[in-house]
Amino acid sequence: MPDPVLELRGVIKEFGDAVVTRVLHGIDLRLEQGEFAALIGPSGSGKSTLLNLVGLLDRPTAGQVWVHGERTDQLDDDELTRLRARSLGFVFQFHHLVGALSAVENVMMALAADQPRLTREMRQRSVAALAEVGLADRADEDPRRLSGGQQQRVAIARALVRRPPLILADEPTGNLDTRSADDVFTLMRRFNHETGIAFLIVTHDPRIASRCDRTIELIDGRIAPRPT
């Protein structure tokens, strides 16, 4: 069998020195290539902490995080940065586009993460990614002139342009109206089907979670058992 795109083995995360607070309690999780999964749970359950560990933005106190077959606790910070750029895409509730850059330049930033300079080929790839989300004609637009749904489409193009094996989406529809949210979800689902990219979507929206192939529920820092 191929390596999973993501695997957590006994992951514990604690914060504090004098007073230690354990937020994650021995998380075991495996996400296969091409999966489309929702991560749900009440506020304070540890979802953001877990997403930071999966996104290689933080390190666990104990346990192992494997991304695309690589054991991340054995990597230094530079190696983690390269793995993150190569293997992960990110979509957030607030798109985090840079207003001083055009739509296509925002997408190009994902390609520039480990490149010394921008190239014509990078622009061509970025325009193609915008075309895939229906925004080829807005490539040179100031993102501040785009609607919320269009801005999130730019963010999806940015996440997809490197064709990473896994995209992490943190409340990607949480700042959108119902129609725009449905459009964004449908777009992510289409890319999942067409490219085999796996998605892990953090959401509070039960409509979104119900449309995913699998739901992972986090409660008080532990993954709830699946109902039988």
Side-chain angles (χ1 to χ4, degrees):
M1 290 183 61
D3 289 325
V5 292
L6 174 67
E7 187 171 11
L8 279 66
R9 302 177 185 174
V11 166
I12 293 170
K13 183 61 180 178
E14 297 174 341
F15 295 97
D17 297 317
V19 178
V20 175
T21 300
R22 181 168 290 189
V23 178
L24 297 178
H25 303 260
I27 299 293
D28 294 314
L29 176 63
R30 183 182 174 104
L31 199 67
E32 304 293 345
Q33 295 181 20
E35 276 203 81
F36 197 88
L39 177 63
I40 65 172
S43 297
S45 60
K47 299 189 303 299
S48 295
T49 299
L50 181 60
L51 201 65
N52 284 338
L53 296 178
V54 172
L56 309 181
L57 302 172
D58 198 3
R59 294 178 183 265
T61 304
Q64 301 173 9
V65 177
W66 294 69
V67 173
H68 207 214
E70 291 205 47
R71 180 174 167 177
T72 61
D73 60 296
Q74 298 179 334
L75 304 178
D76 62 28
D77 288 347
D78 288 341
E79 291 168 330
L80 280 180
T81 298
R82 287 192 290 271
L83 178 61
R84 187 187 308 115
R86 184 173 69 248
S87 299
L88 299 173
F90 297 88
V91 180
F92 303 98
Q93 177 177 355
F94 301 100
H95 43 74
H96 296 298
L97 301 179
V98 180
L101 302 177
S102 66
V104 70
E105 288 169 339
N106 270 277
V107 177
M108 291 171 69
M109 295 308 296
L111 297 173
D114 57 355
Q115 299 266 359
R117 60 187 180 86
L118 301 179
T119 66
R120 180 179 298 179
E121 187 266 342
M122 290 164 66
R123 178 182 169 85
Q124 291 171 342
R125 288 176 61 185
S126 298
V127 170
L130 286 171
E132 289 182 301
V133 301
L135 290 176
D137 60 336
R138 310 300 291 274
D140 293 309
E141 191 79 67
D142 182 330
R144 292 168 293 192
R145 297 174 62 89
L146 301 176
S147 69
Q150 289 171 330
Q151 290 174 342
Q152 197 64 305
R153 285 172 175 262
V154 175
I156 292 171
R158 181 178 59 191
L160 287 165
V161 68
R162 295 185 72 127
R163 288 296 191 267
L166 173 61
I167 287 179
L168 306 175
D170 188 5
E171 295 285 356
T173 62
N175 200 38
L176 302 175
D177 60 66
T178 301
R179 180 176 178 180
S180 296
D182 286 342
D183 288 345
V184 164
F185 180 88
T186 300
L187 191 63
M188 292 190 297
R189 196 56 161 140
R190 175 167 67 83
F191 283 118
N192 167 251
H193 285 311
E194 292 179 354
T195 68
I197 293 173
F199 282 74
L200 180 62
I201 301 173
V202 176
T203 183
H204 283 101
D205 187 340
R207 296 184 319 111
I208 296 297
S210 68
R211 295 165 67 186
C212 295
D213 294 334
R214 174 184 169 200
T215 299
I216 303 157
E217 186 175 12
L218 196 63
I219 299 177
D220 295 331
R222 296 177 172 87
I223 292 180
R226 294 187 185 184
T228 57

